[in-house]
Amino acid sequence: MAYSTLKIEDGVARLTLNRPEVHNAFDDSLIAELNAQLNELHRLAETGDVRVVVLGSEGKSFSAGADLNWMKRMVDYDLDDNLADSRKLAALMHGLDTLPCPTLCRVQGAAFGGAVGLAACCDVVIASDKAKFCLSEVKIGLSPAVISPYVQRALGERQMRRYALTAEVMDAPTALALGLAHQVVEHEALNSAIDAMLVTLLAGSPQAQRATKALMATVAQAPDSDATREHTCQIIAKLRVSPEGQEGLSSFFEKRRPNWVESNNTHHASERRS
């Protein structure tokens, strides 16, 4: 049985954790599946076949973190075994964080341990008002080590210190206030909010979104350097003269929708008629 599913339709890829019976907990099999799927999504996003990735899960929990049976097996692992396992999880976080297209995370319930890392790696996080987040690792003698670069980027160093050391549960309003979530909605409105954000993301130029994601990663590393300033100039100049950039400018001045939006609308209309 697959522990996750990947469905791609109309440029939207839905990557869904599918272990509701164990609250979508991580184990080595799920991590291997997700890494394989993210490798494929990188390829499809680069070619423009995938415009947006929605990360979600089945059941009432987003993910409970590490699977208990997996943790029991890990008790007998030596240092090399643990390093190999950790590197696969690190590859998962890096793969999600560096997807070229926009990523949207749907959090309907509990997101504990490594699941907080998944949310932090996504560009936009929309959470139900029933969602709860927790960096729970210190309570079992561990550390949120692999996910720490991504979660600290979302929370900031000061808040990360508190929540990584206390393992306090953050409710949805707290996650919103701290910047881990971008939007909190009533539980029944979660799917509608996801759909609305998809419309917003699909209105952007695919090429410009890919360039912007790559640019943000560069700017974060060295925001005020000569190399970064030159890089930003190169990016905008190349986008302005590209076919998509020219189409975007022309559609703006001509007061019409750009062709990448029109193609999405045409596809949706044909689906409704069929």
Side-chain angles (χ1 to χ4, degrees), residues 61-258:
S61 298
F62 177 67
S63 173
D67 180 271
L68 293 178
N69 290 322
W70 184 39
M71 291 173 66
K72 286 178 183 176
R73 295 202 310 272
M74 284 191 288
V75 169
D76 297 323
Y77 285 7
D78 62 17
L79 178 61
D80 288 339
D81 292 332
N82 275 288
L83 274 173
D85 251 7
S86 298
R87 286 167 180 155
K88 291 171 185 173
L89 180 61
L92 167 58
M93 297 297 162
H94 178 72
L96 179 59
D97 186 62
T98 57
L99 273 172
C101 64
T103 51
L104 175 56
C105 187
R106 177 189 182 276
V107 183
Q108 79 277 28
F112 279 37
V116 182
L118 290 179
C121 287
C122 289
D123 301 316
V124 182
V125 177
I126 300 180
S128 157
D129 55 5
K130 295 183 179 180
K132 296 184 184 300
F133 300 81
C134 181
L135 295 166
S136 54
E137 287 85 352
V138 296
K139 286 193 172 182
I140 56 172
L142 301 177
S143 169
V146 172
I147 65 172
S148 61
Y150 312 102
V151 181
Q152 181 162 297
R153 182 183 61 193
L155 294 177
E157 182 183 356
R158 189 65 176 158
Q159 297 296 345
M160 180 69 174
R161 285 190 179 199
R162 171 180 173 171
Y163 288 97
L165 293 172
T166 64
E168 293 171 276
V169 174
M170 293 173 262
D171 60 15
T174 301
L176 179 66
L178 295 177
L180 183 57
H182 295 93
Q183 184 179 355
V184 172
V185 299
E186 292 183 0
H187 189 73
E188 294 73 18
L190 184 56
N191 288 337
S192 296
I194 293 292
D195 289 343
M197 182 56 68
L198 280 172
V199 171
T200 299
L201 289 169
L202 290 169
S205 156
Q207 174 186 258
Q209 287 173 333
R210 290 193 297 270
T212 299
K213 281 201 70 169
L215 177 65
M216 294 302 98
T218 300
V219 170
Q221 294 175 11
D224 189 31
S225 69
D226 290 341
T228 297
R229 281 190 290 275
E230 177 59 23
H231 182 61
T232 61
C233 294
Q234 291 281 341
I235 292 295
I236 189 60
K238 290 175 181 177
L239 286 174
R240 283 175 181 165
V241 300
S242 71
E244 226 171 81
Q246 290 288 300
E247 166 64 12
L249 290 169
S250 296
S251 64
F252 175 76
F253 290 118
E254 294 167 10
K255 294 182 171 54
R256 60 175 175 81
R257 291 177 175 176

Side-chain angles (χ1 to χ4, degrees), residues 8 33 38 67 75 95-96 115 120 131 161 173-174 217 259 272-273:
I8 301 172
E33 278 187 23
L38 285 170
D67 180 271
V75 169
L96 179 59
R161 285 190 179 199
T174 301
N259 57 19
R272 286 194 294 270
R273 288 194 297 268

